[in-house]
Amino acid sequence: MDTKYITKGHKKFCIEYHIEFTTKERRTWIDDFGVKDKLIEIFDKICKEFNCVLKACGVQKEHVHLYVSATPSLNLLKFIQALKGKSSYLIKKDCPLLKNLKDLWAEGYFIATTGPTPNFIVEKYVKNQDLHHKPL
């Protein structure tokens, strides 16, 4: 199994999440405004602010997948709010045309712990979203 445990002091843990959320009304602003790389950069920065590691990020035209390694002290709700709220604010700041959209992200989100799944499988799934969503 390809699980990497983190050791801090007398603690040892492996907490990894698969997170997904969609754009409001499935709008395709990510592709339309070419902000995919900027979003990945923003998500990575937010992860670091929360002492998390962005292990993989799959950005599609109307949704994103993140594979994140976290610590036991992570406040998951605040983390999700920061990912969506801060990314929305920073993307609008970087791309003024998006300021016309009130909300960039839909209200909900999906989150799952990766459990005993070897992390290379989750990482591959998240990174290969382009292939997964490729039109037939």
Side-chain angles (χ1 to χ4, degrees):
M1 190 185 242
D2 190 33
T3 303
K4 303 284 189 248
Y5 289 94
I6 298 168
T7 303
K8 289 191 177 186
H10 295 286
K11 299 174 274 190
K12 190 173 208 158
F13 53 90
C14 176
I15 303 170
E16 297 174 334
Y17 297 106
H18 173 200
I19 302 166
E20 180 182 352
F21 46 93
T22 63
T23 60
K24 182 81 170 183
E25 298 172 354
R26 293 276 188 176
R27 293 184 184 125
T28 58
W29 57 263
I30 295 171
D31 274 3
D32 296 345
F33 292 91
V35 295
K36 178 180 178 176
D37 292 337
K38 184 68 176 173
L39 271 176
I40 294 171
E41 182 183 312
I42 290 169
F43 291 143
D44 187 52
K45 181 180 176 189
I46 294 167
C47 285
K48 288 176 181 163
E49 290 172 6
F50 279 81
N51 296 315
C52 295
V53 176
L54 182 61
K55 298 181 88 170
C57 187
V59 178
Q60 298 304 303
K61 62 183 177 184
E62 33 61 51
H63 71 280
V64 297
H65 289 262
L66 297 97
Y67 177 39
V68 176
S69 175
T71 63
S73 62
L74 177 69
N75 181 328
L76 201 48
L77 181 58
K78 285 187 178 181
F79 179 59
I80 298 289
Q81 289 171 336
L83 286 170
K84 293 171 75 175
K86 207 169 197 178
S87 66
S88 180
Y89 170 78
L90 292 171
I91 285 294
K92 285 181 178 182
K93 188 176 171 185
D94 207 51
C95 190
L97 290 174
L98 285 172
K99 287 183 181 178
N100 296 330
L101 296 175
K102 183 181 179 223
D103 298 313
L104 295 184
W105 301 113
E107 284 187 34
Y109 58 88
F110 166 83
I111 188 162
T113 55
T114 59
T117 306
N119 57 10
F120 72 89
I121 293 173
V122 179
E123 189 171 346
K124 182 179 174 185
Y125 172 78
V126 170
K127 282 184 177 177
N128 290 325
Q129 283 299 300
D130 287 337
L131 297 174
H132 180 74
H133 292 283
K134 186 178 180 180
L136 299 175

